[in-house]
Amino acid sequence: MRYHPLTIPFRIYQLVKNSLFIGLILFVFNKDSEFWLMEYGRYAFVILVLWRLIYIVAAWFVEKYEWKDRTFHVYKGVFTKHTSTIPFSRIQNVTRKTTVFHKLVGLTSLTFETAMDGEDDSIHFEVLTKKHADYLIELVQPGKENTPIEESEPEVDPSIGEQEIVGEEQGPAQEKSRTIHFTPQRKDLVKASFTSLSFLAIIPIVFGVIDYVEPLLPDQDEVEGIFNVLLHSTWLLFGLIVVAIIIAVVFGFVRTFIRFGKYEISSDTRYIYIDRGVLDESYFAIEKRKVQGLEINQTFIKRLFGLAEVKLISSASPNNSDGSVNVNSLYPFLPIHEAYQLIEELLPTYKVHTELERLPRKSLWVKLLRPSWVWMIATIGLFYFKPEPFNIEQAWWILSIVLLILVVLNRILDYIHTRYIVTTDQIQWWHGGLTSRMFITKRRNMIEMSYSQNRLQRMFHVASITTMNRSVPAHIETIQDLPLPYALGMENWYLKRHEDVQVEG
Amino acid sequence: MSIRKLEHNLSPSFPKVRMMTDMIGNGIGFLVIGVLFWLDYYFAWPAWAFWVLIGALILSVLSTVWSMVEPGYLYRSWSYQYNDEYLQLSYGIFKKEWMTVPMTKIQSVSTTQGPIMKRYQIRSIKVETMGSSHVIPALEEDVALQLRETLAEFAKLKEVDE
């Protein structure tokens, strides 16, 4: 089956978007330049763009996809043919994205991601009708193996591609038994816009605007004159600052609202769904059993506001080159208690503990005594170059001491934050200094485990534990300076892995 | 607390083979540096080139000295064991590591043998898992082949839910 015909304009739109900048450089900003790179660049640019246009049109006629026996066959390439075969069972998560472009024409895009490595690890439909997208999402759902209604004959389906406008407004068919776990409240969004420091985003924009309009402004002296008037009148200046702050905050809030305003985390027995976006809508679904573990990240500022980001560790490759928001992130600004609750609701096999064990005092000594390579190299560099910013001669050793204090502070915080617990089939731990992280996974999802001791740790009888989970690339977690008996105990615990794993021949 | 060792050791020829391999590598290194010194003298390169070469020479001498001692320590630090379910490795001179790899997560096993290893009849085994790869650097030929067979056999098993 061919892709939707609007794929052609979509790809052309993308081509224009991507080459606009180079085009502007070549034809507008340097239009009089006789530099050879510019001169030949213009020819090369025109040829490349034309070539791409021809290719885009030709590709639409040649590239096809079909499905048989619960397997996708995708045919790519105009000159070098490339066929990839992807069984439905390999599909790990489904992302559906409706950008502004798609909205204008009432269509959407769809990506099936798999855990396979290499180029053909995902199937991407750039443009397709909502109905067809729903149909495909429904099609790849596992559990359909038993029902013999295999829609394997692609000849029947093109009709679906054409008659679209029937009932596109109702949501996906599998929405039946979904329970909604989280939608952000206005309060959350306000907090989010502060913690993400999104109001600062106005600064580069303002500078950009100033740069742009500078030639249009009256000449330098006049601007300075206005500035002087402002400086002399305290009230005017004060008022102006207040207005500037309000604009920045409103701007930050609008920006946060557009990115995280419409957001819904829901689930049914088998899947977790994330729907989000005000302008660019996206839909993301991941099968629960394919979640390999969870992560909670808390930056320093988020901790002040009691917020945290929850991330899923899944075996599919998170290759969202175009998305501004990470697909595997549930929501970056969850109140911490809601985050715990959400994890348990979404994945009932996980139990998030709040009473965890702490490190013994000797671990603090190990952490403090460990040589800091960053500090040493920085100090040697500072000593050698002796930079004198603002003409302060002593700057180099002041900077070195500031860095040392930061390093030590980070380690003490790490000691305070490190907490851990191992239960029958699950581990959970917190660690990290300024940014602290929680990691939680099941024993059966750990594909490797190791513990290690360096000389210093050997003196204090402590060890580091490293775990590995399936993901692309493999997800590696390390917790440092646990008491050695605990590490040995954990190895024993891991050796009893067969308790929760079934082996098939 | 004494340092825990696993059941099996590497082949006793490991330090010798390792030392010889390192020696050849270092020999080639010295030769290259020698030629560069000669070129430096012959073409009268700028002064800094000479100091760079002196630096390289010092590093090579240090690494040669280290390659005399390291194999012995490394041999003593290495041990491994395996059963139906797990392959366990332990190694490291300064930082000691104990790895546990479930058999079901092993994806491929391969052995390699260089010319020096061939003379001493030893092989190295490389085990690749879903997320990483591990090398056991030297085992007697029959031990290596048998281990390869065993691992390959167990690696066929897969867990439900993959």
Side-chain angles (χ1 to χ4, degrees), chain A residues 289 444 447-455 458 470 484 491 494-495 497-498 501-502 504, chain B residues 1 3-4 85-86 88 93 95-96 98-100 102 105 129-130 132 134 158-161:
Chain A
R289 66 188 178 101
R444 59 189 195 84
I447 59 168
E448 227 173 281
M449 186 213 128
S450 68
Y451 69 95
S452 68
Q453 269 191 315
N454 57 29
R455 292 275 153 128
R458 219 172 295 163
R470 230 182 123 192
L484 182 62
E491 194 193 42
Y494 189 62
L495 290 173
R497 199 170 163 273
H498 57 88
V501 171
Q502 276 179 302
E504 62 189 18
Chain B
M1 207 177 291
I3 288 175
R4 187 177 143 232
E85 285 182 81
Y86 298 96
Q88 288 181 287
I93 299 173
K95 185 181 174 197
K96 195 122 169 73
W98 288 264
M99 315 274 318
T100 306
K105 302 294 177 197
T129 68
M130 281 169 181
S132 60
H134 308 285
K158 282 282 159 278
E159 286 169 15
V160 178
D161 218 37

Side-chain angles (χ1 to χ4, degrees), chain A residues 84-275:
Chain A
S84 48
T85 311
I86 298 169
F88 291 175
S89 58
R90 287 278 162 205
I91 292 169
Q92 299 268 347
N93 49 38
V94 181
T95 316
R96 191 170 142 175
K97 234 182 171 153
T98 315
T99 64
V100 180
F101 178 94
H102 290 107
K103 263 195 182 166
L104 286 175
V105 285
L107 301 169
T108 186
S109 79
L110 185 68
T111 308
F112 294 122
E113 279 172 89
T114 67
M116 294 192 275
D117 301 336
E119 270 177 44
D120 41 344
D121 61 344
S122 65
I123 314 174
H124 189 49
F125 302 92
E126 280 151 308
V127 179
L128 76 175
T129 62
K130 286 179 180 166
K131 195 155 180 222
H132 193 50
D134 290 344
Y135 174 73
L136 286 174
I137 292 172
E138 186 70 11
L139 183 74
V140 300
Q141 301 255 340
K144 291 268 158 58
E145 290 91 340
N146 315 330
T147 39
I149 333 149
E150 297 277 277
E151 293 94 334
S152 49
E153 259 23 84
E155 286 76 36
V156 193
D157 301 300
S159 56
I160 295 171
E162 312 307 333
Q163 321 164 341
E164 359 151 335
I165 323 145
V166 190
E168 48 174 19
E169 277 314 302
Q170 73 257 50
Q174 70 275 34
E175 214 170 291
K176 33 196 161 175
S177 56
R178 282 207 222 168
T179 42
I180 296 168
H181 300 287
F182 176 81
T183 45
Q185 306 297 312
R186 171 120 354 124
K187 194 182 69 187
D188 297 331
L189 284 169
V190 172
K191 273 198 208 165
S193 83
F194 280 105
T195 51
S196 63
L197 298 179
S198 59
F199 49 86
L200 294 181
I202 202 168
I203 293 171
I205 293 174
V206 166
F207 275 104
V209 169
I210 288 177
D211 237 26
Y212 197 74
V213 296
E214 205 167 17
L216 310 177
L217 287 178
D219 62 289
Q220 200 73 28
D221 297 339
E222 250 174 87
V223 178
E224 257 170 40
I226 297 170
F227 219 74
N228 274 331
V229 173
L230 282 179
L231 281 178
H232 285 293
S233 139
T234 332
W235 279 110
L236 207 59
L237 188 69
F238 181 74
L240 209 69
I241 289 173
V242 168
V243 169
I245 289 176
I246 290 173
I247 290 175
V249 168
V250 168
F251 175 80
F253 185 70
V254 168
R255 199 161 160 271
T256 315
F257 184 78
I258 288 173
R259 290 176 74 191
F260 302 107
K262 229 176 96 201
Y263 212 98
E264 186 182 290
I265 301 172
S266 55
S267 75
D268 58 23
T269 43
R270 201 190 282 275
Y271 280 90
I272 296 172
Y273 306 94
I274 303 171
D275 296 274

Side-chain angles (χ1 to χ4, degrees), chain B residues 24-92:
Chain B
I24 292 171
N26 286 323
I28 294 171
F30 278 118
L31 213 67
V32 170
I33 291 174
V35 169
L36 284 174
F37 265 114
W38 180 78
L39 287 173
D40 177 55
Y41 169 77
Y42 193 84
F43 290 105
W45 283 350
W48 59 265
F50 178 74
W51 291 108
V52 170
L53 287 176
I54 290 283
L57 187 67
I58 292 171
L59 283 179
S60 315
V61 170
L62 287 178
S63 98
T64 310
V65 172
W66 173 240
S67 72
M68 298 294 198
V69 244
E70 190 220 9
Y73 282 116
L74 200 58
Y75 171 69
R76 258 168 281 159
S77 83
W78 249 98
S79 63
Y80 69 96
Q81 69 188 27
Y82 60 96
N83 60 16
D84 297 2
E85 285 182 81
Y86 298 96
L87 172 68
Q88 288 181 287
L89 310 172
S90 161
Y91 54 85

Side-chain angles (χ1 to χ4, degrees), chain A residues 408-465:
Chain A
V408 170
L409 183 73
N410 202 34
R411 289 176 178 193
I412 294 174
L413 281 174
D414 184 32
Y415 167 72
I416 295 169
H417 289 153
T418 304
R419 280 170 294 157
Y420 49 93
I421 190 167
V422 176
T423 52
T424 28
D425 67 335
Q426 174 189 303
I427 54 163
Q428 181 192 348
W429 65 49
W430 274 98
H431 68 102
L434 287 171
T435 296
S436 61
R437 287 146 42 76
M438 192 200 84
F439 172 66
I440 182 167
T441 191
K442 292 281 166 191
R443 179 163 59 182
R444 59 189 195 84
N445 288 331
M446 285 164 58
I447 59 168
E448 227 173 281
M449 186 213 128
S450 68
Y451 69 95
S452 68
Q453 269 191 315
N454 57 29
R455 292 275 153 128
L456 188 65
Q457 287 176 319
R458 219 172 295 163
M459 281 199 288
F460 284 89
H461 297 310
V462 293
S464 300
I465 293 180

